Amino acid sequence: MRWTVARWMPGWCCAPSPIRPRPGRGRKRCGCSPHPCLERALRMSPLPGLLLLAAPEDDLRPLVEALSPHWSVTICIPRALWRYAGPGAALAELRRQARATALVLHLSADGAAALAGLEGLVEVYAPADLALCHLSPAERTDPEAWEALWRRERDLARRARLLAVPAEEVGRKLQLLYGVPAERLREVPRAALPRLLSALPPPAPAEGAPPGFTLALNDYPVIEKHTGGAVRVRHGLAALGEETVLLSLGNVGATAFVAPNVLQVSVPKDRGQRAVEADLRTLADSGLEDIVSAMHAASHPTLLAVAADLSRRARVAVFEHCYLAPLLDAMRAAAPGLPVVYDAHNVEARLKREILAGHPAGAPLCGFVEEVERRLLAAADLVLCCSEADAAHFGPAARQVVLMPHGVIPAAPATPPAGEPPRLGFLGSSHPPNVAAARFIVEELAPRLPEAVFELVGSVCAAVSSSLPNVLLRGVVSEEEKAATLGRWSAALNPVESGSGASLKLADYLAHGLPTVNTPHAARGFAAVAAGAGLVLPLEGFAAELSRLLRQPEALRGLAARAREAAAAQGWSATARPAREAIAALAAARAPTPPAPPLLALDEAAALAWRHHPGFGRIDLLPEADAVPRPLLADRLLAPAIAAGAEPATAPRRPCLAYGIGPGGHPVAAEWGLLLPAGSRRLGLELEAEAPLSLRLRCGPAGQPDAAATLLEAPVEGSLRLGLPLPDVEGPLLLQGSVAGPAALRLRSAGLLLPEPWPIDLSAGAGPMAAPRARWLSRHAGHYAALAPTRGDTPLPPGLPPFAPVTDAMTLAPAAALLAEAASARHAVAARMALGLEQPFLLVVGEARPWDAALCPGASAVRYADGEASHQDADGIDRRVPMPVAALLLSRDPPCRHLLLGAVPEPLRDGLAALAAMAGVPFSAQ
């Protein structure tokens, strides 16, 4: 059968054509996809309607051919419809088509938001994969675009009658990420969809909360990463044995299984976070991505919303590292009884002090990390530690500590090539303790053992150099090349003397059956090595012991055999057993979280501001104009005019208003106006003049009165009915009328032609959109627990639910924002120079009374207000420079000696006080 031109419906959807197929090539128009005609079947036996919503890349021919004998199929490509018809027309057309069909089949989530506000629809979602697994370029990098997709797919998955998936893995993703119960899932190939749709089951009854999963949080994605931390995250979570969602922040959005039971969901970072990381790299060659993630986590609305949604269904939350701990407030608000586990890869505060020694912002950054880790430790019900030393450090402050050493995954045995000199290897990153160990190997061991080749692998190679012929610096290599390199080594070296956590390189060494020579510090977390699977001795004994081993091959073979035995005994399943048992006990005591109520947002601004509120499970938007915002940062878009059942094209007669009307029916003098919603096409007016008048009507974009075009300029006498075409512009329209004459002009009725007829209620008090909204609120608002505040310009009917309560943000968030602001100021040093600062100073923020000079003797004063610093330099010149206040507080040359807080807003006061404490700057407040 050939394709033919479809019968075009308003808004560029296509429906079955009543003409027969004809030879030749059919034409396409934007937003449509043609399909076979079945004229005779349609005429002889009317079929139930099926609206098929698909993505542009979907191959629809086989499915439509299989559906056509049983359904009257209408195909629509929402993405193209939006692009070419505009949001208003697209929304109206999708809703019209959906209301006229018996079934809506979604192959993608593109049209889900447009239909979410309609009641009584029967919907089936049949994706090839999760929408979050196939992102557009904008959705990969823009958090709001990613969130809009997440929200519309989540709501579609939760409301659909049935979800048909082509593979078990897709069904598991839907269950984990959106909480879809198994009763509504069917695993069927797309070819079997017609048979499934012919006998849909009744709506599945609510079975209570679906089985819980483990919610893990990490500050970076671990997809295809092979660093020590990423390996522990992947294998450690897999070894805990439960279905797991791993939530993280990444440069791009991504969703994929990283282990058989671990689904990674990576939310894209926002532009502010990426800018701070770039500035930190400019400052000191390191973006410090983990610390910057902690700074931005509590102010990232998308991350907060996803974390709160997942927390409600999780059995336990496991924090890998501490850097997403600022999410705890939102998670605990969403799920008050959620058990919290801290998987401490290191003592992060101590580790950052080592790494950031000498960093220009080292003091406040380390103080910030210490506070983040302290708060997580205080909230955690269980702390997992890699080594005995870390367990001893956390023990006094933790409720419960369990040792979970790194596991080992044995590699295939390899034999070093015969006839080559022995190779002694070292594996490491550019972490400072590794750099010190590499320099010891290159500068101390290699010159004393010329008969051996010393081979270094990893980013540590960039920090050392050597001209010795027996030193090889391999640098960063692939996993395959690393395994081949380790297979050629005779023994592995681990001369690390500082750092926390456990030495993950030792797990690699044991996995390859390598004899190891370790310092006591380097053997932490691997009791088998201390028990004889390797050698443990101080640095000064390395050269002599290695010389002995090279002369005794049988000793090397014995150590290699014991290393393989240790690797077999220290698998991830074995090392995670105590942690599994402790977490199971916590999860068993967890009370289920009741379903979160929905929130009703009365405008787009309210939905944007309240979308990450942890107390609500769904955001419904009652739009001011009947169009879908792009992106839609709410779950459901409601249709007040349609829901209210308004059918007539004009408003019923009522007492009219003399001398014209203002927006909403307020009488004014000789001029009046009507605010018309976006998408208005035509305006009908019924007027009456008591005596001859001159009437002028102009219309244009709201907010641009000078851009209005003249619609009518004519005398009026007696009764008059007008039908006026309106300008085709985006957004709301403002109709302006002016009357000249001795008598009154009365407006009897007014009506709009939007994509559907819409009456204008002249008795409304806040514009023509208010009456349908008010009627809708009176009928439906009782289904909501709370309303999100509006801008305050829309009167609301009485008896509505209360406004949603505002939750206090984590008190660390203001300090994190100030710290991020200072890190982003690339020109902070130049700004301080422009201010004429040459000596230590007292920083006064806000309006302050005169202060005692003894507060900071010998220091000049710098005042800060409204984003600007002022200071009188040594020459008596008053200087003013706009700059971030944190750039002054964290100044090191010259230093800030004291912070005096005057009259400043409370969030700024709290943030500055916390930041001053982290930086070690004394402060006082008036």
Side-chain angles (χ1 to χ4, degrees), residues 770-791:
R773 286 161 57 86
R775 289 195 298 270
W776 191 95
L777 284 169
S778 298
R779 292 179 57 185
H780 299 282
H783 299 302
Y784 295 89
L787 307 181
T790 67
R791 293 187 299 268

PDB file of all heavy atoms in Angstrom, residues 770-791:
ATOM      1  N   ALA A 770      -9.820  35.539  34.500  1.00  0.00           N
ATOM      2  CA  ALA A 770     -10.037  35.223  35.907  1.00  0.00           C
ATOM      3  C   ALA A 770     -11.309  34.423  36.136  1.00  0.00           C
ATOM      4  O   ALA A 770     -11.352  33.568  36.992  1.00  0.00           O
ATOM      5  CB  ALA A 770     -10.073  36.514  36.730  1.00  0.00           C
ATOM      6  N   ALA A 771     -12.368  34.684  35.375  1.00  0.00           N
ATOM      7  CA  ALA A 771     -13.626  34.001  35.655  1.00  0.00           C
ATOM      8  C   ALA A 771     -13.545  32.501  35.422  1.00  0.00           C
ATOM      9  O   ALA A 771     -13.946  31.720  36.289  1.00  0.00           O
ATOM     10  CB  ALA A 771     -14.741  34.622  34.833  1.00  0.00           C
ATOM     11  N   PRO A 772     -13.027  32.015  34.268  1.00  0.00           N
ATOM     12  CA  PRO A 772     -12.888  30.561  34.133  1.00  0.00           C
ATOM     13  C   PRO A 772     -11.979  29.970  35.202  1.00  0.00           C
ATOM     14  O   PRO A 772     -12.261  28.886  35.723  1.00  0.00           O
ATOM     15  CB  PRO A 772     -12.282  30.399  32.734  1.00  0.00           C
ATOM     16  CG  PRO A 772     -12.656  31.650  32.011  1.00  0.00           C
ATOM     17  CD  PRO A 772     -12.674  32.719  33.042  1.00  0.00           C
ATOM     18  N   ARG A 773     -10.914  30.671  35.543  1.00  0.00           N
ATOM     19  CA  ARG A 773     -10.011  30.176  36.594  1.00  0.00           C
ATOM     20  C   ARG A 773     -10.744  30.103  37.933  1.00  0.00           C
ATOM     21  O   ARG A 773     -10.588  29.143  38.682  1.00  0.00           O
ATOM     22  CB  ARG A 773      -8.784  31.079  36.701  1.00  0.00           C
ATOM     23  CG  ARG A 773      -7.791  30.901  35.571  1.00  0.00           C
ATOM     24  CD  ARG A 773      -6.856  32.092  35.437  1.00  0.00           C
ATOM     25  NE  ARG A 773      -6.114  32.393  36.642  1.00  0.00           N
ATOM     26  CZ  ARG A 773      -4.953  31.827  36.982  1.00  0.00           C
ATOM     27  NH1 ARG A 773      -4.429  30.920  36.192  1.00  0.00           N
ATOM     28  NH2 ARG A 773      -4.331  32.175  38.079  1.00  0.00           N
ATOM     29  N   ALA A 774     -11.523  31.163  38.231  1.00  0.00           N
ATOM     30  CA  ALA A 774     -12.240  31.168  39.510  1.00  0.00           C
ATOM     31  C   ALA A 774     -13.255  30.041  39.575  1.00  0.00           C
ATOM     32  O   ALA A 774     -13.404  29.375  40.600  1.00  0.00           O
ATOM     33  CB  ALA A 774     -12.912  32.525  39.715  1.00  0.00           C
ATOM     34  N   ARG A 775     -14.001  29.827  38.462  1.00  0.00           N
ATOM     35  CA  ARG A 775     -14.963  28.728  38.458  1.00  0.00           C
ATOM     36  C   ARG A 775     -14.264  27.385  38.631  1.00  0.00           C
ATOM     37  O   ARG A 775     -14.725  26.500  39.344  1.00  0.00           O
ATOM     38  CB  ARG A 775     -15.767  28.751  37.150  1.00  0.00           C
ATOM     39  CG  ARG A 775     -16.758  29.905  37.061  1.00  0.00           C
ATOM     40  CD  ARG A 775     -17.758  29.650  35.946  1.00  0.00           C
ATOM     41  NE  ARG A 775     -17.131  29.570  34.646  1.00  0.00           N
ATOM     42  CZ  ARG A 775     -16.930  30.611  33.844  1.00  0.00           C
ATOM     43  NH1 ARG A 775     -17.312  31.820  34.239  1.00  0.00           N
ATOM     44  NH2 ARG A 775     -16.358  30.460  32.669  1.00  0.00           N
ATOM     45  N   TRP A 776     -13.138  27.234  37.933  1.00  0.00           N
ATOM     46  CA  TRP A 776     -12.392  25.978  38.044  1.00  0.00           C
ATOM     47  C   TRP A 776     -11.902  25.775  39.472  1.00  0.00           C
ATOM     48  O   TRP A 776     -11.992  24.675  40.025  1.00  0.00           O
ATOM     49  CB  TRP A 776     -11.212  25.994  37.071  1.00  0.00           C
ATOM     50  CG  TRP A 776     -10.553  24.654  36.929  1.00  0.00           C
ATOM     51  CD1 TRP A 776     -10.793  23.711  35.989  1.00  0.00           C
ATOM     52  CD2 TRP A 776      -9.534  24.105  37.782  1.00  0.00           C
ATOM     53  NE1 TRP A 776     -10.015  22.609  36.192  1.00  0.00           N
ATOM     54  CE2 TRP A 776      -9.218  22.822  37.294  1.00  0.00           C
ATOM     55  CE3 TRP A 776      -8.868  24.559  38.914  1.00  0.00           C
ATOM     56  CZ2 TRP A 776      -8.259  22.002  37.892  1.00  0.00           C
ATOM     57  CZ3 TRP A 776      -7.919  23.753  39.519  1.00  0.00           C
ATOM     58  CH2 TRP A 776      -7.629  22.491  38.994  1.00  0.00           C
ATOM     59  N   LEU A 777     -11.369  26.827  40.090  1.00  0.00           N
ATOM     60  CA  LEU A 777     -10.864  26.713  41.464  1.00  0.00           C
ATOM     61  C   LEU A 777     -11.983  26.333  42.426  1.00  0.00           C
ATOM     62  O   LEU A 777     -11.791  25.505  43.319  1.00  0.00           O
ATOM     63  CB  LEU A 777     -10.217  28.032  41.894  1.00  0.00           C
ATOM     64  CG  LEU A 777      -8.824  28.319  41.329  1.00  0.00           C
ATOM     65  CD1 LEU A 777      -8.431  29.758  41.611  1.00  0.00           C
ATOM     66  CD2 LEU A 777      -7.814  27.373  41.937  1.00  0.00           C
ATOM     67  N   SER A 778     -13.149  26.937  42.250  1.00  0.00           N
ATOM     68  CA  SER A 778     -14.261  26.633  43.150  1.00  0.00           C
ATOM     69  C   SER A 778     -14.651  25.159  43.079  1.00  0.00           C
ATOM     70  O   SER A 778     -15.058  24.565  44.070  1.00  0.00           O
ATOM     71  CB  SER A 778     -15.467  27.509  42.795  1.00  0.00           C
ATOM     72  OG  SER A 778     -15.153  28.875  42.971  1.00  0.00           O
ATOM     73  N   ARG A 779     -14.511  24.570  41.897  1.00  0.00           N
ATOM     74  CA  ARG A 779     -14.932  23.175  41.719  1.00  0.00           C
ATOM     75  C   ARG A 779     -13.849  22.168  42.089  1.00  0.00           C
ATOM     76  O   ARG A 779     -14.137  21.086  42.586  1.00  0.00           O
ATOM     77  CB  ARG A 779     -15.349  22.941  40.262  1.00  0.00           C
ATOM     78  CG  ARG A 779     -16.616  23.661  39.855  1.00  0.00           C
ATOM     79  CD  ARG A 779     -16.943  23.410  38.393  1.00  0.00           C
ATOM     80  NE  ARG A 779     -17.072  21.990  38.113  1.00  0.00           N
ATOM     81  CZ  ARG A 779     -17.252  21.487  36.893  1.00  0.00           C
ATOM     82  NH1 ARG A 779     -17.324  22.299  35.855  1.00  0.00           N
ATOM     83  NH2 ARG A 779     -17.358  20.181  36.707  1.00  0.00           N
ATOM     84  N   HIS A 780     -12.575  22.497  41.828  1.00  0.00           N
ATOM     85  CA  HIS A 780     -11.529  21.480  41.889  1.00  0.00           C
ATOM     86  C   HIS A 780     -10.451  21.725  42.949  1.00  0.00           C
ATOM     87  O   HIS A 780      -9.667  20.814  43.223  1.00  0.00           O
ATOM     88  CB  HIS A 780     -10.830  21.372  40.526  1.00  0.00           C
ATOM     89  CG  HIS A 780     -11.734  20.969  39.418  1.00  0.00           C
ATOM     90  ND1 HIS A 780     -12.154  19.670  39.214  1.00  0.00           N
ATOM     91  CD2 HIS A 780     -12.339  21.702  38.437  1.00  0.00           C
ATOM     92  CE1 HIS A 780     -12.947  19.609  38.165  1.00  0.00           C
ATOM     93  NE2 HIS A 780     -13.086  20.834  37.677  1.00  0.00           N
ATOM     94  N   ALA A 781     -10.360  22.915  43.516  1.00  0.00           N
ATOM     95  CA  ALA A 781      -9.230  23.213  44.395  1.00  0.00           C
ATOM     96  C   ALA A 781      -9.217  22.359  45.651  1.00  0.00           C
ATOM     97  O   ALA A 781      -8.161  22.165  46.263  1.00  0.00           O
ATOM     98  CB  ALA A 781      -9.229  24.693  44.780  1.00  0.00           C
ATOM     99  N   GLY A 782     -10.370  21.817  46.040  1.00  0.00           N
ATOM    100  CA  GLY A 782     -10.405  20.987  47.236  1.00  0.00           C
ATOM    101  C   GLY A 782      -9.598  19.711  47.132  1.00  0.00           C
ATOM    102  O   GLY A 782      -9.331  19.057  48.147  1.00  0.00           O
ATOM    103  N   HIS A 783      -9.188  19.324  45.909  1.00  0.00           N
ATOM    104  CA  HIS A 783      -8.372  18.116  45.743  1.00  0.00           C
ATOM    105  C   HIS A 783      -6.922  18.354  46.133  1.00  0.00           C
ATOM    106  O   HIS A 783      -6.140  17.411  46.167  1.00  0.00           O
ATOM    107  CB  HIS A 783      -8.428  17.637  44.289  1.00  0.00           C
ATOM    108  CG  HIS A 783      -9.802  17.274  43.820  1.00  0.00           C
ATOM    109  ND1 HIS A 783     -10.577  16.319  44.440  1.00  0.00           N
ATOM    110  CD2 HIS A 783     -10.559  17.753  42.798  1.00  0.00           C
ATOM    111  CE1 HIS A 783     -11.741  16.207  43.819  1.00  0.00           C
ATOM    112  NE2 HIS A 783     -11.757  17.075  42.815  1.00  0.00           N
ATOM    113  N   TYR A 784      -6.544  19.591  46.401  1.00  0.00           N
ATOM    114  CA  TYR A 784      -5.142  19.928  46.654  1.00  0.00           C
ATOM    115  C   TYR A 784      -4.919  20.232  48.129  1.00  0.00           C
ATOM    116  O   TYR A 784      -5.795  20.759  48.819  1.00  0.00           O
ATOM    117  CB  TYR A 784      -4.718  21.130  45.803  1.00  0.00           C
ATOM    118  CG  TYR A 784      -4.737  20.819  44.325  1.00  0.00           C
ATOM    119  CD1 TYR A 784      -5.891  21.010  43.569  1.00  0.00           C
ATOM    120  CD2 TYR A 784      -3.628  20.287  43.699  1.00  0.00           C
ATOM    121  CE1 TYR A 784      -5.931  20.685  42.224  1.00  0.00           C
ATOM    122  CE2 TYR A 784      -3.653  19.964  42.353  1.00  0.00           C
ATOM    123  CZ  TYR A 784      -4.805  20.160  41.627  1.00  0.00           C
ATOM    124  OH  TYR A 784      -4.821  19.836  40.306  1.00  0.00           O
ATOM    125  N   ALA A 785      -3.702  19.909  48.576  1.00  0.00           N
ATOM    126  CA  ALA A 785      -3.359  20.175  49.971  1.00  0.00           C
ATOM    127  C   ALA A 785      -3.045  21.645  50.196  1.00  0.00           C
ATOM    128  O   ALA A 785      -3.214  22.164  51.292  1.00  0.00           O
ATOM    129  CB  ALA A 785      -2.149  19.323  50.371  1.00  0.00           C
ATOM    130  N   ALA A 786      -2.537  22.324  49.161  1.00  0.00           N
ATOM    131  CA  ALA A 786      -2.130  23.715  49.329  1.00  0.00           C
ATOM    132  C   ALA A 786      -2.027  24.372  47.966  1.00  0.00           C
ATOM    133  O   ALA A 786      -1.962  23.710  46.927  1.00  0.00           O
ATOM    134  CB  ALA A 786      -0.779  23.803  50.055  1.00  0.00           C
ATOM    135  N   LEU A 787      -2.022  25.703  47.983  1.00  0.00           N
ATOM    136  CA  LEU A 787      -1.815  26.503  46.788  1.00  0.00           C
ATOM    137  C   LEU A 787      -0.445  27.151  46.859  1.00  0.00           C
ATOM    138  O   LEU A 787       0.014  27.550  47.923  1.00  0.00           O
ATOM    139  CB  LEU A 787      -2.873  27.601  46.666  1.00  0.00           C
ATOM    140  CG  LEU A 787      -4.361  27.198  46.733  1.00  0.00           C
ATOM    141  CD1 LEU A 787      -5.237  28.426  46.556  1.00  0.00           C
ATOM    142  CD2 LEU A 787      -4.678  26.168  45.678  1.00  0.00           C
ATOM    143  N   ALA A 788       0.202  27.279  45.701  1.00  0.00           N
ATOM    144  CA  ALA A 788       1.433  28.063  45.638  1.00  0.00           C
ATOM    145  C   ALA A 788       1.049  29.519  45.450  1.00  0.00           C
ATOM    146  O   ALA A 788       0.170  29.830  44.645  1.00  0.00           O
ATOM    147  CB  ALA A 788       2.310  27.592  44.484  1.00  0.00           C
ATOM    148  N   PRO A 789       1.664  30.445  46.183  1.00  0.00           N
ATOM    149  CA  PRO A 789       1.282  31.866  46.090  1.00  0.00           C
ATOM    150  C   PRO A 789       1.418  32.389  44.675  1.00  0.00           C
ATOM    151  O   PRO A 789       2.244  31.947  43.895  1.00  0.00           O
ATOM    152  CB  PRO A 789       2.273  32.549  47.035  1.00  0.00           C
ATOM    153  CG  PRO A 789       2.748  31.480  47.949  1.00  0.00           C
ATOM    154  CD  PRO A 789       2.725  30.218  47.149  1.00  0.00           C
ATOM    155  N   THR A 790       0.573  33.379  44.362  1.00  0.00           N
ATOM    156  CA  THR A 790       0.650  34.060  43.077  1.00  0.00           C
ATOM    157  C   THR A 790       1.303  35.419  43.292  1.00  0.00           C
ATOM    158  O   THR A 790       1.766  35.751  44.373  1.00  0.00           O
ATOM    159  CB  THR A 790      -0.753  34.262  42.489  1.00  0.00           C
ATOM    160  OG1 THR A 790      -1.450  35.193  43.314  1.00  0.00           O
ATOM    161  CG2 THR A 790      -1.521  32.961  42.466  1.00  0.00           C
ATOM    162  N   ARG A 791       1.333  36.211  42.240  1.00  0.00           N
ATOM    163  CA  ARG A 791       1.905  37.556  42.352  1.00  0.00           C
ATOM    164  C   ARG A 791       0.998  38.480  43.137  1.00  0.00           C
ATOM    165  O   ARG A 791       1.334  39.623  43.386  1.00  0.00           O
ATOM    166  CB  ARG A 791       2.141  38.123  40.951  1.00  0.00           C
ATOM    167  CG  ARG A 791       3.211  37.390  40.178  1.00  0.00           C
ATOM    168  CD  ARG A 791       3.501  38.113  38.890  1.00  0.00           C
ATOM    169  NE  ARG A 791       2.318  38.171  38.041  1.00  0.00           N
ATOM    170  CZ  ARG A 791       2.021  37.266  37.115  1.00  0.00           C
ATOM    171  NH1 ARG A 791       2.829  36.233  36.928  1.00  0.00           N
ATOM    172  NH2 ARG A 791       0.944  37.376  36.385  1.00  0.00           N
TER     173      ARG A 791
END
